[in-house]
């Protein structure tokens, strides 16, 4: 970042302005940020914003970003989540300088607690959690001191050591900061710093049976790592006073906390608790279900890291919470995939077309571009045969005005192939159309057309005999209402019953070789990716996004 370049100042968000001023004033030569997830679930699109902000700042300004796992709650945390978080950050294109864990600092945090006890700024409390909550008061009523608040330093040191030694059961005792039970900020009314929890930790095993609370571990971890700008979402604004109080009393490196607004997405829920509920109750097929707002789910669905990072940059950083239209993310995915995705033809709802003047046993290989947006992508060969499939929706027996697809007596061009004319509609005994008999127009081959005939409609197609049957998973938005998180009743009542429809499609044969995660545009149908469950015996594609926004103007 060239801080002297004043032309860039207008584009700075408010956090960048703070950092720019800090560097220009000489407060810092370089900055340190951190991304501090708790490893109790998979990262989601909300975390992506925080990742892009923290790592993006140290791409723009001198400095580096740490990855620190906030692993102070052993009952909900797991190494599986640690690994998934690391994979997601790397996939988004970011690298951390140090990989750290709050559990790295358990000894230091314990020593800090001893220091507070010795300064008569912390005490061991025997009250149960319900009693603590009752005595805390309300925003308009002062709280009341615990009867154990005035224990001596010696008593508190003895009891805290015995807590650490495992003498007391869960919930029997806590260590609380001694601040002010009449404080206007409820979080400053003698907050809990440590609790007893006999639980196996994913890294420290059974070494500890007392664990620091988030508010005690967070600021001190920032300080130990000399984090200059500690960025949190707005719900942590009331915690800043305690953050600063602990750093001040402990006389440690003065990290500073800054808050930014959470970006909520419509038709989406990002509460880890609720997402876990969806997983455990089998409403979705795991954390990486392509309908989930998790980064791993979006990756499996076919979203690109570039489109997600661009989305996070576009929505920016603000001081007020607001709702972002997921349509913007879908637009950016389409924009990115339009440049990258390989084109292929796949028919999802077939009707048979027989070319009556094409030889029965002939297979003609026709060339077609892999991606017209990328001149370097080359061409592929597609088998053209007497029997073909087109989409049912591309034929109308009694066409409407300005209908340019196939109809009796009408002509269309088959993509990268020939112009055909519908001569006969074949029906079964119940009047259902079973086949269209068509004739191929002479000299109308794409690329060498000398027929002189111009048609307005171009259809995609596949050979009915030389194709690959594939499983198509048509994914859509998981919820049918914009703000599912704040609806009355159970949020699961608002799940979209059409969020996954599975069908069989008929594809160009070379899609048998599609690699997991490869991106395709199925012509006129949308963007798709090869799923990780795909095998040689069963090729599976996930719909990433439709070609156009089907939810615009008030819903589907």
């Amino acid at each position: 970042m060239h801080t002297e370049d004043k032309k860039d100042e207008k584009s700075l968000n408010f956090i960048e302005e703070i950092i720019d001023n800090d560097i220009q004033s000489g407060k810092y030569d370089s900055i340190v940020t951190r991304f501090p997830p708790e490893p109790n679930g998979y990262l989601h699109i909300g975390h992506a914003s925080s990742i892009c902000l923290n790592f993006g700042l140290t791409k723009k300004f001198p400095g580096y970003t740490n990855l620190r796992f906030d692993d102070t709650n052993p009952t909900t945390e797991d190494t599986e989540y640690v690994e998934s978080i690391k994979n997601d950050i790397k996939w988004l294109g970011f690298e951390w300088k140090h990989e750290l864990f709050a559990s790295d600092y358990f000894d230091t945090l314990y020593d800090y607690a001893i220091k507070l006890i010795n300064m008569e700024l912390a005490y061991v409390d025997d009250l149960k959690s319900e009693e603590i909550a009752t005595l805390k008061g309300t925003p308009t009523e002062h709280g009341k001191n615990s009867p154990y608040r005035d224990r001596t330093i010696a008593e508190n040191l003895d009891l805290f050591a015995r807590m650490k030694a495992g003498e007391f059961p869960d919930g029997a005792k806590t260590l609380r900061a001694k601040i002010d039970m009449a404080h206007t900020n409820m979080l400053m009314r003698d907050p809990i710093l440590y609790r007893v929890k006999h639980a196996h930790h994913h890294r420290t095993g059974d070494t500890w049976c007392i664990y620091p609370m988030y508010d005690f571990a967070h600021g001190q971890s920032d300080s130990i790592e000399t984090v200059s700008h500690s960025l949190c979402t707005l719900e942590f604004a009331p915690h800043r006073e305690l953050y600063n109080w602990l750093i001040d009393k402990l006389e440690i490196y003065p990290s500073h906390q800054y808050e930014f607004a959470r970006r909520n997405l419509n038709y989406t829920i990002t509460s880890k608790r609720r997402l876990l509920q969806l997983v455990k109750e089998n409403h979705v097929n795991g954390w990486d279900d392509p309908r989930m707002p998790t980064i791993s789910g979006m990756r499996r669905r076919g979203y690109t890291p570039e489109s997600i990072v661009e989305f996070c940059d576009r929505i920016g950083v603000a001081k007020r919470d607001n709702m972002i239209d997921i349509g913007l993310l879908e637009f950016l995915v389409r924009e990115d995939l339009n440049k990258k995705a390989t084109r292929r033809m796949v028919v999802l709802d077939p009707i048979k077309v027989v070319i009556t003047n094409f030889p029965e046993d002939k297979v003609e290989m026709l060339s077609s571009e892999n991606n017209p947006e990328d001149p370097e992508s080359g061409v592929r060969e597609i088998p053209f045969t007497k029997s073909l499939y087109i989409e049912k929706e591309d034929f109308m027996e009694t066409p409407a005005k300005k209908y340019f697809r196939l109809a009796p007596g009408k002509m269309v061009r088959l993509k990268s192939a020939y112009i055909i004319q519908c001569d006969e509609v074949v029906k079964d005994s119940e009047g259902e159309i079973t086949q269209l008999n068509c004739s191929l127009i002479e000299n109308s081959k794409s690329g060498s057309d000398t027929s002189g005939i111009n048609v307005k409609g171009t259809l995609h197609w596949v050979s009915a005999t030389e194709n690959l049957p594939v499983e198509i998973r048509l994914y859509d938005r998981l919820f049918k209402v914009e703000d599912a998180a704040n609806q009355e009743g159970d949020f699961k009542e608002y799940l979209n019953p059409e969020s996954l429809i599975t069908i069989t499609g008929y594809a160009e044969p070379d899609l048998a070789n599609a690699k997991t995660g490869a991106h395709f545009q199925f012509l006129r149908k949308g963007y798709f990716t090869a799923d990780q469950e795909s095998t040689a015996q069963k090729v599976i594609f996930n719909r990433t996004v439709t070609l156009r926004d089907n939810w615009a103007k008030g819903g589907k």
Side-chain angles (χ1 to χ4, degrees):
M1 171 78 184
H2 300 289
T3 54
E4 69 276 5
D5 188 354
K6 300 296 181 183
K7 289 186 292 185
D8 288 342
E9 287 187 4
K10 286 184 180 177
S11 65
L12 297 182
N13 62 52
F14 78 97
I15 290 176
E16 291 170 340
E17 287 177 354
I18 290 169
I19 294 173
D20 195 45
N21 289 334
D22 284 345
I23 291 177
Q24 289 200 54
S25 68
K27 185 176 180 179
Y28 302 106
D29 293 325
S30 63
I31 65 168
V32 179
T33 66
R34 84 290 170 269
F35 176 61
E38 182 180 1
N40 64 348
Y42 283 62
L43 297 183
H44 54 62
I45 185 64
H47 294 113
S49 289
S50 181
I51 291 168
C52 292
L53 174 60
N54 280 287
F55 285 91
L57 287 170
T58 50
K59 282 189 172 183
K60 187 171 285 192
F61 297 93
Y64 61 86
T65 301
N66 289 335
L67 169 61
R68 181 178 74 237
F69 293 96
D70 173 28
D71 58 342
T72 59
N73 189 5
T75 57
T76 61
E77 296 158 2
D78 197 279
T79 302
E80 173 195 348
Y81 299 135
V82 170
E83 294 306 313
S84 74
I85 288 167
K86 292 195 290 187
N87 289 338
D88 288 345
I89 296 171
K90 287 178 180 177
W91 180 72
L92 285 172
F94 298 107
E95 291 287 340
W96 52 90
K97 181 166 185 180
H98 302 296
E99 182 180 317
L100 304 163
F101 294 80
S103 55
D104 293 336
Y105 312 132
F106 280 174
D107 287 315
T108 302
L109 294 171
Y110 182 79
D111 291 341
Y112 285 162
I114 297 293
K115 183 175 180 178
L116 291 174
I117 292 172
N118 280 318
M119 296 168 69
E120 296 192 85
L121 294 176
Y123 63 95
V124 174
D125 197 353
D126 292 3
L127 293 180
K128 302 291 184 283
S129 59
E130 300 82 6
E131 297 172 308
I132 291 173
T134 300
L135 291 180
K136 211 158 195 182
T138 69
T140 56
E141 290 181 9
H142 291 170
K144 296 177 182 177
N145 289 346
S146 165
Y148 306 99
R149 195 175 196 266
D150 295 323
R151 279 175 163 155
T152 65
I153 293 173
E155 284 180 289
N156 286 317
L157 289 173
D158 174 63
L159 288 169
F160 192 49
R162 290 165 63 192
M163 285 169 63
K164 180 178 183 286
E167 288 189 27
F168 306 112
D170 291 3
K173 296 187 188 300
T174 57
L175 182 73
R176 297 177 68 182
K178 189 187 288 188
I179 304 178
D180 182 0
M181 291 301 291
H183 203 288
T184 53
N185 183 344
M186 295 282 287
L187 289 170
M188 297 296 282
R189 296 182 184 178
D190 290 11
I192 296 172
L193 305 180
Y194 268 89
R195 78 282 202 200
V196 178
K197 191 179 282 282
H198 292 268
H200 186 82
H201 189 277
H202 74 107
R203 293 185 74 242
T204 61
D206 299 317
T207 302
W208 293 87
C209 62
I210 57 170
Y211 291 93
M213 302 296 287
Y214 169 85
D215 278 323
F216 190 59
H218 181 60
Q220 286 57 257
S221 298
D222 284 346
S223 180
I224 292 166
E225 296 167 20
T226 64
V227 170
S228 58
H229 298 77
S230 176
L231 308 178
C232 302
T233 45
L234 277 179
E235 66 263 34
F236 292 99
H239 297 248
R240 185 176 357 117
E241 195 167 4
L242 178 56
Y243 182 100
N244 292 338
W245 185 89
L246 286 164
I247 284 176
D248 178 58
K249 298 303 181 186
L250 291 167
E251 298 179 309
I252 54 180
Y253 179 85
S255 295
H256 294 276
Q257 177 177 306
Y258 302 92
E259 302 86 25
F260 61 96
R262 182 188 293 275
R263 297 305 215 205
N264 299 305
L265 272 179
N266 58 4
Y267 299 101
T268 306
I269 278 178
T270 54
S271 158
K272 272 201 265 188
R273 177 181 59 81
R274 287 180 166 180
L275 294 178
L276 179 60
Q277 196 175 343
L278 292 177
V279 172
K280 285 190 169 179
E281 295 178 11
N282 297 316
H283 296 287
V284 293
N285 300 313
W287 284 99
D288 67 346
D289 186 301
R291 293 166 290 181
M292 289 279 272
T294 54
I295 295 173
S296 56
M298 297 169 82
R299 176 168 63 245
R300 185 173 175 185
R301 185 159 168 172
Y303 282 38
T304 62
E306 294 82 3
S307 62
I308 294 173
V309 171
E310 176 65 18
F311 172 73
C312 293
D313 289 345
R314 291 267 192 113
I315 65 176
V317 177
K319 296 181 180 181
R320 291 184 180 179
D321 288 343
N322 63 353
M323 184 73 76
I324 304 296
D325 185 1
I326 196 171
L328 172 61
L329 175 57
E330 293 169 343
F331 166 79
L332 294 170
V333 173
R334 289 185 189 99
E335 195 173 59
D336 193 34
L337 289 177
N338 184 51
K339 293 179 286 189
K340 297 175 177 175
T342 302
R343 274 46 169 182
R344 289 294 182 266
M345 293 193 288
V346 181
V347 174
L348 307 186
D349 185 20
I351 184 171
K352 190 173 185 181
V353 170
V354 174
I355 310 297
T356 54
N357 58 341
F358 195 84
E360 184 79 42
D361 55 355
K362 182 178 179 181
V363 177
E364 182 179 359
M365 302 305 293
L366 302 175
S367 294
S368 189
E369 294 174 297
N370 283 322
N371 185 345
E373 301 291 323
D374 178 9
E376 304 298 314
S377 64
V379 297
R380 87 279 190 185
E381 299 288 297
I382 311 166
F384 185 88
T385 56
K386 184 179 185 71
S387 296
L388 309 171
Y389 288 142
I390 65 169
E391 299 284 354
K392 279 183 183 174
E393 66 181 13
D394 285 339
F395 175 79
M396 189 176 288
E397 191 171 11
T398 307
K401 226 175 182 184
K402 296 188 176 179
Y403 182 79
F404 299 122
R405 286 174 272 179
L406 197 59
K410 300 287 185 181
M411 296 184 188
V412 294
R413 175 170 292 283
L414 298 179
K415 172 69 177 170
S416 302
Y418 297 93
I419 296 173
I420 61 170
Q421 176 175 296
C422 180
D423 303 318
E424 182 185 10
V425 178
V426 180
K427 299 182 181 181
D428 63 17
S429 58
E430 296 180 1
E432 292 295 317
I433 298 173
T434 57
Q435 183 174 304
L436 305 175
N437 290 336
C438 301
S439 51
L440 183 152
I441 304 302
E442 294 292 325
N443 303 315
S444 66
K445 185 175 179 179
S446 293
S448 59
D449 185 352
T450 57
S451 68
I453 299 172
N454 292 315
V455 293
K456 292 186 176 179
T458 299
L459 308 183
H460 68 281
W461 56 276
V462 293
S463 164
T465 52
E466 304 286 327
N467 66 60
L468 174 73
V470 293
E471 181 175 303
I472 305 286
R473 296 175 180 175
L474 299 173
Y475 288 105
D476 208 336
R477 297 176 185 180
L478 187 55
F479 291 92
K480 59 187 177 183
V481 295
E482 284 203 57
D483 193 6
N486 295 313
Q487 299 292 325
E488 290 184 6
D490 188 337
F491 78 101
K492 297 190 296 296
E493 294 175 16
Y494 302 96
L495 286 166
N496 176 14
E498 296 183 350
S499 63
L500 170 57
I501 296 172
T502 302
I503 62 172
T504 297
Y506 299 90
E508 295 181 34
D510 78 340
L511 281 178
N513 303 314
K515 293 181 179 177
T516 298
H519 301 290
F520 297 93
Q521 184 195 102
F522 292 174
L523 294 185
R524 303 172 64 228
K525 304 312 287 184
Y527 293 99
F528 292 76
T529 190
D531 187 69
Q532 62 195 30
E533 294 179 350
S534 191
T535 65
Q537 292 73 38
K538 185 179 184 181
V539 181
I540 302 169
F541 290 96
N542 301 329
R543 183 170 66 188
T544 306
V545 68
T546 54
L547 286 179
R548 295 172 191 81
D549 184 359
N550 293 333
W551 289 75
K553 297 181 181 178
K556 245 182 135 183

